Amino acid sequence: MAISGKPTNRRNPAPPHSTDIGELFAQRFNVVSLYVVVLLLLAAAIVWSGIKTAEDIQKYHQDYKALQDMKKQERKLQVEHQRLLIEQQTFSATPQIASRAVSELGMYTPTSKDKLIIQPSAAVAETISPATVEVGQ
């Protein structure tokens, strides 16, 4: 120690002025321009997120409209399916009706001699048999 009371370091002499990291940073980069860059990046991020949000909402609306169209189409197909089921039941019932008419009621398909064609200019028809009579043109 010296007389002045300050320790002396002969190997690493102290620089003539002390430098702070903040001062070095301020000297190296202009702090004002750094803030401007950060603000511009934030503004760009806000605009980008707004655009992405608008795109997502537009896509949502398009998908919702497509869903509603598909639901309408499903309802139409269900109605058609019900109609076709009824039609199928109707056509499948026809042979059942014919077989019951023959078995239970004793009905039959008339032959040509059982048919009698009546025309307006014809005279009095012969005696009609008790069989089924069809009227034709």
Side-chain angles (χ1 to χ4, degrees):
M1 261 206 211
I3 300 175
S4 65
K6 293 182 181 177
T8 57
N9 189 355
R10 293 184 187 184
R11 289 187 185 169
N12 293 328
H17 63 288
S18 65
T19 56
D20 187 14
I21 293 179
E23 289 176 7
L24 286 174
F25 189 71
Q27 290 172 0
R28 184 90 171 161
F29 301 104
N30 189 359
V31 176
V32 175
S33 67
L34 180 64
Y35 286 128
V36 170
V37 168
V38 168
L39 288 176
L40 287 175
L41 287 175
L42 287 174
I46 290 171
V47 169
W48 179 78
S49 67
I51 290 171
K52 292 305 282 181
T53 302
E55 288 175 352
D56 289 344
I57 290 173
Q58 180 67 25
K59 185 175 181 333
Y60 170 78
H61 286 297
Q62 289 173 349
D63 292 344
Y64 186 76
K65 183 180 181 315
L67 175 67
Q68 294 302 319
D69 291 343
M70 287 180 189
K71 283 183 179 180
K72 285 180 187 176
Q73 184 180 6
E74 179 190 18
R75 278 182 245 135
K76 287 179 182 178
L77 289 173
Q78 284 177 346
V79 168
E80 184 178 358
H81 182 258
Q82 291 297 325
R83 184 184 60 79
L84 290 173
L85 284 177
I86 292 170
E87 186 175 329
Q88 181 184 18
Q89 290 173 354
T90 301
F91 286 135
S92 67
T94 304
Q96 293 174 359
I97 293 171
S99 66
R100 281 190 175 176
V102 171
S103 65
E104 293 177 10
L105 300 175
M107 299 178 88
Y108 61 93
T109 305
T111 61
S112 59
K113 72 175 190 174
D114 293 334
K115 295 179 184 179
L116 178 64
I117 299 174
I118 301 174
Q119 296 180 356
S121 63
V124 179
E126 297 180 20
T127 310
I128 299 174
S129 65
T132 307
V133 176
E134 283 190 6
V135 176
Q137 300 264 341

